[in-house]
């Protein structure tokens, strides 16, 4: 079963593993390839958010600005999202517009294509389901591989012996050491791919359902929205210790949403939210990752468990190595299977030849 499943989906596992290894550096790849948009030289204090917003509005008056993503570090730009699916990159110290990138340009970038190839095989929702099945079968290969490893308990490569022996030892030993991380990646991949089925089950682990998020607020024609700096101040005071990642300010009487990130939250956008009345600054709802129910905590963990972000760079490097080894296991497995396949095929042909000769002799 281990052999035939590996032969059936091994090439897909190889592809998903290699792209997964590359995606450990997804953000870094995108930034390096678009360095003029992302990297800036730190110089003093950053300008107020509202001032940067007005600069973007005056530069692109035909567009409505819908959100701003703050920089993760001192040497990175701010990203203002426009209503026409365009991102404007701004130097936060001087307000200089570094450039723009449309959603279409982002979609064809290398980092995004690697992401879509890994998660959906470039085939939309159907591809995501296929990747989910591949993840499930990868988990099956890990478990059956451990069962096959157990009798011999091979932990190292033998220095002496043929290349076949060395290849076999490598397959068993590397598979054993990689198994825990590979199993976590595979199971979390199944949960993510089949979220329509898994998420409602995880939600049931909450003691009570989370409160509904506000979508509208009362307003009058005289109401003026608060500044982004005021919204930023309220959000930071509401969740002290959490960094502000993004401010979304939809059009009309809709709440401002501040996405917040605690130090222990390794996901890029953070898992905490603060909803504000855009005119009064009143708190409408607070979603703190530190006070979330069990089900919500599992939702928050599944991505970082899958990507290796769970404990930062140490686990990301481990996941990188594990992904590369998973791809290598397909190669070593093929080298184990092919000589045996050729030998069996040769024996079957020889047996058939012997049978034909025997039949021929009896005929004479």
């Amino acid at each position: 079963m281990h052999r035939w499943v590996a032969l059936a989906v091994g090439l897909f596992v190889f592809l998903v593993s290699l792209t997964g290894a590359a995606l450990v550096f997804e953000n870094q790849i995108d930034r390096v390839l678009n360095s003029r948009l992302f990297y800036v030289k730190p110089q003093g204090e950053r300008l107020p958010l509202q001032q940067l917003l007005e600069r973007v509005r005056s530069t692109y008056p035909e567009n409505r600005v819908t959100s701003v993503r703050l920089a993760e570090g001192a040497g990175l730009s701010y990203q203002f999202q426009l209503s026409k699916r365009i991102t404007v990159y701004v130097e936060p110290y001087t307000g200089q517009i570094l450039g723009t990138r449309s959603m279409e340009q982002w979609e064809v970038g290398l980092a995004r294509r690697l992401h879509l190839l890994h998660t959906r095989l470039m085939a939309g929702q159907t591809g995501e389901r296929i990747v989910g099945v591949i993840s499930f079968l990868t988990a099956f290969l890990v478990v059956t591989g451990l069962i096959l490893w157990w009798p011999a308990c091979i932990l190292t490569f033998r220095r002496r012996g043929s290349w076949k022996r060395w290849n076999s030892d490598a397959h068993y030993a590397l598979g054993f050491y990689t198994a825990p991380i590979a199993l976590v990646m595979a199971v979390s991949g199944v949960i993510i791919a089949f979220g329509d089925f898994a998420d409602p089950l995880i939600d049931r682990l909450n003691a009570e359902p989370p409160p509904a998020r506000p979508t509208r607020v009362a307003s009058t024609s005289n109401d003026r929205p608060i500044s982004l700096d005021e919204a930023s101040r309220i959000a930071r005071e509401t969740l002290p210790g959490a960094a502000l990642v993004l401010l979304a300010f939809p059009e009309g009487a809709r709440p401002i949403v501040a996405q917040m990130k605690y130090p222990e939250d390794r996901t890029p956008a953070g898992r905490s939210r603060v909803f504000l009345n855009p005119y009064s600054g009143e708190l409408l709802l607070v979603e703190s990752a530190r006070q979330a129910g069990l089900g919500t905590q599992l939702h928050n963990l599944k991505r970082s468990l899958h990507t290796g972000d769970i404990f930062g760079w140490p686990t990301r490097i481990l996941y990188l190595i594990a992904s590369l080894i998973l791809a290598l296991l397909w190669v070593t497995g093929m080298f184990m299977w092919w000589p045996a396949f050729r030998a069996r095929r040769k024996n079957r042909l020889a047996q058939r030849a012997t049978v034909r000769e025997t039949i021929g002799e009896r005929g004479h």
Side-chain angles (χ1 to χ4, degrees), residues 4 9 36-37 46 55 60 130 174 191 227 238 246 252 254 270 289 295 306 308 334 336 346 351 354:
W4 288 112
V9 301
R36 66 179 183 85
L37 299 176
R46 296 186 177 103
R55 176 71 62 86
Y60 304 94
I130 294 173
L174 292 175
I191 294 173
S227 70
T238 302
L246 181 142
R254 299 177 183 273
H306 185 71
M334 289 297 293
M336 292 172 65
K346 185 177 180 180
Q351 290 173 0
T354 302

Side-chain angles (χ1 to χ4, degrees), residues 4 26 60 75 113 118 164 184 190 199 204 256 264 271 285 322 327 341 347 353:
W4 288 112
E26 180 178 4
Y60 304 94
R113 286 188 174 273
H118 177 78
K164 294 180 182 180
V184 170
V190 173
D199 289 352
R204 295 181 182 180
I256 293 175
E264 67 272 14
R271 296 300 187 186
L285 178 66
F341 170 76
N347 290 336

Side-chain angles (χ1 to χ4, degrees), residues 106-128:
W106 175 68
E107 287 282 354
V108 299
L110 177 61
R112 182 60 179 170
R113 286 188 174 273
L114 285 172
H115 183 94
L116 292 177
L117 185 59
H118 177 78
T119 59
R120 299 189 170 192
L121 298 177
M122 307 291 287
Q125 187 68 31
T126 301
E128 185 174 12

Side-chain angles (χ1 to χ4, degrees), residues 40 54-55 63 91 141 158 184-185 201 327 331 338 359:
V40 302
E54 297 304 330
R55 176 71 62 86
N63 281 276
E91 210 270 28
L141 290 173
R158 303 181 194 183
V184 170
M185 288 193 293
L201 298 176
V331 176
W338 181 248
I359 294 174

Side-chain angles (χ1 to χ4, degrees), residues 35-319:
S35 57
R36 66 179 183 85
L37 299 176
F38 283 99
Y39 293 111
V40 302
K41 183 179 180 180
Q43 42 187 312
E45 294 293 327
R46 296 186 177 103
L47 295 176
L49 283 174
Q50 192 66 30
Q51 184 176 339
L52 296 174
L53 173 63
E54 297 304 330
R55 176 71 62 86
V56 174
R57 282 175 172 170
S58 63
T59 307
Y60 304 94
E62 71 281 3
N63 281 276
R64 182 174 58 85
V65 187
T66 59
S67 68
V68 56
R69 181 177 295 275
L70 281 67
E72 297 177 22
L76 295 173
S77 61
Y78 284 8
Q79 302 172 35
F80 286 83
Q81 187 69 40
L82 305 184
S83 56
K84 294 184 179 179
R85 295 163 57 90
I86 296 174
T87 303
V88 180
Y89 297 82
V90 180
E91 210 270 28
Y93 302 97
T94 64
Q96 176 189 357
I97 304 296
L98 301 175
T100 63
R101 183 166 59 162
S102 67
M103 184 64 71
E104 290 74 18
Q105 290 173 319
W106 175 68
E107 287 282 354
V108 299
L110 177 61
R112 182 60 179 170
R113 286 188 174 273
L114 285 172
H115 183 94
L116 292 177
L117 185 59
H118 177 78
T119 59
R120 299 189 170 192
L121 298 177
M122 307 291 287
Q125 187 68 31
T126 301
E128 185 174 12
R129 300 297 191 208
I130 294 173
V131 171
V133 173
I134 293 170
S135 298
F136 174 80
L137 293 176
T138 300
F140 172 84
L141 290 173
V142 171
V143 173
T144 53
L146 287 173
I147 294 172
L148 294 171
W149 169 87
W150 179 252
C153 293
I154 297 174
L155 297 174
T156 60
F157 305 165
R158 303 181 194 183
R159 296 181 179 180
R160 297 181 180 180
S162 66
W163 72 268
K164 294 180 182 180
R165 173 58 62 188
W166 189 92
N167 179 78
S168 176
D169 288 352
H171 189 81
Y172 280 110
L174 292 175
F176 171 74
Y177 290 120
T178 310
I181 296 176
L183 196 58
V184 170
M185 288 193 293
V187 172
S188 58
V190 173
I191 294 173
I192 293 172
F194 295 101
D196 294 345
F197 306 100
D199 289 352
L201 298 176
I202 297 175
D203 287 337
R204 295 181 182 180
L205 298 176
N206 287 322
E208 55 185 26
R213 291 178 171 179
T215 57
R216 305 286 297 182
V217 297
S219 65
T220 66
S221 58
N222 296 326
D223 285 336
R224 294 179 59 84
I226 62 175
S227 70
L228 292 189
D229 299 284
E230 179 67 9
S232 172
R233 181 190 63 81
I234 296 172
R236 288 188 171 103
E237 290 179 354
T238 302
L239 294 178
L244 178 62
V245 177
L246 181 142
L247 273 176
F249 31 96
E251 187 178 28
R254 299 177 183 273
I256 293 175
V257 183
Q259 293 183 202
M260 312 288 289
K261 180 178 178 179
Y262 283 109
E264 67 272 14
D265 185 355
R266 302 294 182 174
T267 53
R271 296 300 187 186
S272 300
R273 303 287 185 273
V274 175
F275 295 79
L276 302 174
N277 186 308
Y279 306 109
S280 65
E282 174 192 0
L283 285 173
L284 302 177
L285 178 66
V286 178
E287 296 177 350
S288 172
R290 290 180 174 178
Q291 299 174 357
L294 178 59
T296 302
Q297 290 181 15
L298 290 177
H299 280 308
N300 295 344
L301 278 175
K302 64 184 179 183
R303 184 193 180 279
S304 54
L305 278 173
H306 185 71
T307 61
D309 290 329
I310 185 69
F311 295 119
W313 275 107
T315 47
R316 293 179 72 183
I317 296 301
L318 281 176
Y319 273 54

